Amino acid sequence: MATTLFSRWQWLLLTLLLLLFTLCTEYLVFQDRQRQQQVQLRHVAAAAAELRALLETEVNSSLYLSQGLVAYIQASHGQVRDEEFAFLLPNLVAQGRHIRNIGLAPGNRISMIYPLLGNEKALGLYYPDLAEQWPDIAALIQQRKPLLVGPVQLTQGGVGFIHRIPVFLPDERYWGIVSTVLDIESVWGLLRQQAQAAGVKVALRRLAGQHWAEVLVGEPELFLQDAMLFDLTVSGAKWQLAAVSAETVTLAAGWSLRLLGWLISLLLLSLVATIFIANSRLAVTASAREQSEAYASTVLDNVADAIVVLDRFGRIEKINKAAQSLLGYQAHAIIGQPYTRLFANSCTLDELAGGAELDVLQHNGQPVLVELMLSHIREAEQGGTVLLLRDIRERKRVERLKNEFVSTVSHELRTPLTAIRGALGLLAGGAVGAVPQSQQQLLEIARQNCEQLSMLINDILDIEKLTAGKMLLQLQPYAVKSLLLEAKNRNLPLAQQKGVSLTVQPDVNPELTVKVDDSRLQQVFANLLANAIRFSPPQGEVRLQALQLGNKVRIQVLDQGPGVPADFIPRLFQKFSQADSSDSRQLGGTGLGLAICKELIERMGGDIGYQPLTQGACFYFDLAITESGPDA
C-alpha cells in the first residue's frame, strides 16, 4: 500500500515533517511553561513585595507610637508624672493594633506597665537581673538604638517580641528604657491571610548573628525550594521572607497544548499527504494523457489521408505527416494559423460541412484538388473541427483516362456493330437465299449477342453523358397513369416472352401529373421492368403502382423474385454492380442499368430507392407532383 501511495522520498519527507512538527509542539509547550513560570514569578514577586510592605507597615505602625512616647519623655526632661503616663499609655495601646503592653523602666527597672492585668509579674523587673537578655540590652543602651528582639520568653508568661528603646535626655543623661511587647501572632495571622488571598505561600525567619535562626512563621521547606527571598529590617531586627506560588505549574496545561499541537500536526501531515496523493494521481493522469496523445499522434501520422485539426476558433491546432507532405508546410509553421489560409477560395466551415471537392493551396502557392470531409469534435470544454483532405488528382486523372477510353471504344465499336447487326438481319431474313435450320440457330445466337453488346455500348454512352453533364433532358408535364400504361405496353412483349404477367394499378388517380422527360423516364421503366421480369419466376407477376405521398408521387415496380441480398443493397446503384455475375450473365444485364436510372431520376428532381419484401423486391422512385395539365 505504501509503495502505491507514496514514493520513498515522500515517505522520508513526511517522517521529517512529523519529527519537525513534534519538535515545534514540544518547543511551544516549553515556551508556554516558561511563560507561565515567568507570569507566576512576577505574581509571586509582586505579592511578596506587598507582604513585606504589610509586615513593615503593621509592625512599624505600632512601634512608631513608642517613638512618640520616647519623644514626650525627652521633651519633659524625664519629669513625667505617673498621672501623665496613666493617661498616655492606654491611648497608645488602644491605637496600636498589635501592642500587647507598653512598659516604662526608668533606671532599667520596670516601674509602670499597661495594661497591668496579666503582666503583674513584669512589674518591678530589673533588667540587669535578666542574665540571658542583659548583654543585648546593655549593647542596645551603649549603641543608643532601638531594637526589636524575639521571640523572647516573657517573665509574665508566654512568648513575644519586645521592642526596646533606650531613652536619653537632652542633657545626654540616660533615663531608662521604653519597652513594647507586640502580639506577633496577630501580625502572622494577617500575613497568612493576605498571602492566601494573593495565592502564595510564605515563610519568615530571623537572622541571629551571622546565621539564620528559626523560622518565625510558615513552613521551613520553603527556604529549601526555589522560592523568592526578600530581606527586610524592622527596627534593627533582620528577617527574611520566602515566597512561592500556591499553584504549581501543572502538566495538564502543557498536555492540552501538546494535544492541540499534535492535532494540528496531523492535519498538516494529512494535507501534505493529500497533496502528494493528488500529485501522484495527477502525474499518472498526465502520463496516461501523454501516452494517449502520443498514440493518437502515431495513429494520425500513419493515416494515409491528410488530417487537419482546428480549434473552436478555427485556428489550426494539429496536422499529421500526410497533411504536411500534401501542403508542403512544417507543423510549427502552420499551427496557430487560420484554416482559410489552406484554401484557394474563401469559404466557411458551414459551407464545407457536407463535404466537397475543392482546391487547397500548398506552401508554394500551387493549388491541389482534394476531396474534403469535415466532422465536428463534440466536447464541452474545447470542441473543434477535423478536416480530412484526400488528394484526388490521380483519381481524377484515371477517371478522365477511363472515360476517354470508354467513350472512344464505344464510338469506335458502334459503327462496325451496326453493320454487323444489319448483316445478320439480312442473312436471317433470307436476303441471300434460304438459310438451313442449323445455320438459322447460329445466326439467332449471333444476333442476340450483338443486341446485348449494342445495349452495353448504349448504356456506357448514356452513363458517360450523364456523368459529364452532356445529356439534356426535355422536362414536360405528363399524367402518371399514362406513363404507367405506356411503360406496360412497351415491356409487355418481354413479359409475355418470359411467361410473366405485367399489371398496372387500376385505381391510379388520373389527375396526378409529374414533370419529366418521357423518353428517359421510359428508359428508367425499361431498366426496372426488365430486371423485375428477368428475375421473376415463371407464371410470376410484375406490378406497377403509383402512390401519392404529400406533394410527391411514388412509383413502384414490384416483383416476386428472390430479392436483393442484404449485403449488396448499399452498392445497388453503383456502376457495374451486379449481385451475382453468373446469374446476370445468364439472365442478361450490363450492371449499368440501375446507375443510369439513378442519374436520370435525380436529373428530373426525384429520388430512387429499394425496399425489400418478404417475397420479391420493390424498386421505387419519387417525383414531385406538378399542377400543370398534361401535354401528352
Side-chain angles (χ1 to χ4, degrees), residues 45-62:
E50 291 179 0
L51 293 175
R52 182 176 64 176
L54 175 67
L55 280 175
E56 292 176 345
T57 301
E58 292 298 323
V59 174
N60 287 328
S61 63
S62 299

Side-chain angles (χ1 to χ4, degrees), residues 138-294:
L140 177 147
I141 296 172
Q142 185 178 0
Q143 296 174 2
R144 296 189 178 189
K145 292 181 178 180
L147 180 64
L148 179 66
V149 296
V152 176
Q153 190 67 38
L154 300 176
T155 302
Q156 62 270 38
V159 178
F161 278 73
I162 304 175
H163 181 249
R164 296 188 178 100
I165 304 176
V167 180
F168 287 87
L169 300 177
D171 56 3
E172 297 298 325
R173 286 183 301 111
Y174 172 67
W175 180 82
I177 295 176
V178 175
S179 62
T180 304
V181 178
L182 298 178
D183 184 7
I184 202 63
E185 287 301 326
S186 65
V187 177
W188 298 157
L190 184 61
L191 177 65
R192 293 190 191 96
Q193 181 181 355
Q194 293 298 324
Q196 184 178 5
V200 295
K201 294 179 180 180
V202 295
L204 189 68
R205 62 183 178 181
R206 68 185 182 87
L207 182 65
Q210 300 297 323
H211 304 284
W212 292 106
E214 74 278 9
V215 176
L216 303 178
V217 64
E219 300 175 359
E221 291 79 6
L222 292 182
F223 292 98
L224 302 177
Q225 299 177 5
D226 189 16
M228 299 189 71
L229 302 177
F230 297 86
D231 295 335
L232 65 156
T233 301
V234 179
S235 188
K238 294 183 179 180
W239 295 343
Q240 188 175 63
L241 179 68
V244 296
S245 176
E247 298 180 359
T248 58
V249 179
T250 62
L251 296 178
W255 274 108
S256 61
L257 181 61
R258 185 177 287 110
L259 290 175
L260 178 61
W262 288 352
L263 179 60
I264 295 175
S265 300
L266 289 177
L267 290 176
L268 291 176
L269 284 176
S270 299
L271 178 61
V272 174
T274 302
I275 293 173
F276 284 164
I277 293 174
N279 285 338
S280 299
R281 292 178 178 174
L282 184 61
V284 172
T285 304
S287 176
R289 183 171 182 176
E290 289 177 359
Q291 293 178 1
S292 177
E293 290 179 351

Side-chain angles (χ1 to χ4, degrees), residues 257-478:
L257 181 61
R258 185 177 287 110
L259 290 175
L260 178 61
W262 288 352
L263 179 60
I264 295 175
S265 300
L266 289 177
L267 290 176
L268 291 176
L269 284 176
S270 299
L271 178 61
V272 174
T274 302
I275 293 173
F276 284 164
I277 293 174
N279 285 338
S280 299
R281 292 178 178 174
L282 184 61
V284 172
T285 304
S287 176
R289 183 171 182 176
E290 289 177 359
Q291 293 178 1
S292 177
E293 290 179 351
Y295 178 75
S297 297
T298 303
V299 171
L300 286 178
D301 289 338
N302 284 275
V303 174
D305 293 326
I307 296 178
V308 179
V309 181
L310 310 179
D311 62 18
R312 58 176 177 164
F313 302 106
R315 295 188 295 260
I316 298 174
E317 192 173 54
K318 186 175 182 60
I319 62 173
N320 65 348
K321 290 185 178 180
Q324 297 178 42
S325 176
L326 174 66
L327 301 173
Y329 284 99
Q330 294 295 324
H332 65 83
I334 193 65
I335 288 178
Q337 300 296 323
Y339 75 93
T340 53
R341 184 172 178 178
L342 301 177
F343 300 103
N345 300 317
S346 61
C347 55
T348 65
L349 293 178
D350 293 336
E351 294 173 348
L352 301 175
E357 292 182 0
L358 71 170
D359 290 329
V360 296
L361 293 178
Q362 292 183 320
H363 183 57
N364 56 11
Q366 292 296 322
V368 177
L369 182 62
V370 298
E371 181 183 21
L372 183 143
M373 287 173 281
L374 179 147
S375 61
H376 295 287
I377 301 174
R378 305 299 179 186
E379 187 172 337
E381 294 183 359
Q382 295 183 347
T385 307
V386 177
L387 303 180
L388 189 144
L389 309 175
R390 182 171 294 167
D391 188 352
I392 59 174
R393 289 176 295 179
E394 182 63 18
R395 189 181 78 186
K396 289 294 183 181
R397 186 182 70 82
V398 171
E399 288 181 356
R400 185 174 64 254
L401 292 176
K402 181 192 71 173
N403 293 335
E404 291 175 356
F405 172 77
V406 169
S407 178
T408 301
V409 170
S410 299
H411 283 88
E412 293 297 327
L413 288 177
R414 197 170 192 181
T415 300
L417 185 61
T418 302
I420 293 172
R421 287 177 63 193
L424 290 174
L426 290 174
L427 288 174
V432 294
V435 179
Q437 185 64 32
S438 59
Q439 295 179 4
Q440 184 71 31
Q441 186 177 1
L442 293 176
L443 287 174
E444 182 63 23
I445 292 174
R447 188 190 65 80
Q448 289 179 357
N449 282 279
C450 187
E451 290 290 341
Q452 182 72 16
L453 183 59
S454 178
M455 183 173 62
L456 174 62
I457 292 173
N458 288 333
D459 285 347
I460 291 175
L461 291 175
D462 284 345
I463 198 69
E464 188 271 335
K465 288 180 181 179
L466 287 169
T467 304
K470 297 179 181 179
M471 182 178 288
L472 299 178
L473 301 181
Q474 300 296 326
L475 301 181
Q476 297 294 331
Y478 290 92

Side-chain angles (χ1 to χ4, degrees), residues 19-37 249-265 268:
L19 179 60
L20 177 61
F21 291 155
T22 302
L23 292 176
C24 290
T25 300
E26 292 302 319
Y27 176 74
L28 291 177
V29 171
F30 173 77
Q31 289 295 324
D32 183 67
R33 188 174 297 170
Q34 291 292 105
R35 180 189 62 80
Q36 291 184 24
Q37 290 178 350
V249 179
T250 62
L251 296 178
W255 274 108
S256 61
L257 181 61
R258 185 177 287 110
L259 290 175
L260 178 61
W262 288 352
L263 179 60
I264 295 175
S265 300
L268 291 176

Side-chain angles (χ1 to χ4, degrees), residues 470-539:
K470 297 179 181 179
M471 182 178 288
L472 299 178
L473 301 181
Q474 300 296 326
L475 301 181
Q476 297 294 331
Y478 290 92
V480 172
K481 187 171 185 178
S482 64
L483 293 174
L484 296 180
L485 293 174
E486 182 182 358
K488 174 186 176 182
N489 294 332
R490 287 190 179 191
N491 293 275
L492 187 59
L494 178 61
Q496 293 173 345
Q497 180 183 352
K498 297 295 183 179
V500 175
S501 63
L502 180 58
T503 62
V504 177
Q505 177 184 346
D507 58 348
V508 176
N509 186 356
E511 301 296 328
L512 288 178
T513 304
V514 292
K515 200 170 186 180
V516 296
D517 186 311
D518 179 44
S519 62
R520 292 303 178 183
L521 186 64
Q522 291 302 324
Q523 183 179 353
V524 172
F525 276 123
N527 275 297
L528 297 179
L529 290 172
N531 285 338
I533 293 170
R534 281 197 299 270
F535 286 96
S536 292
Q539 307 305 318

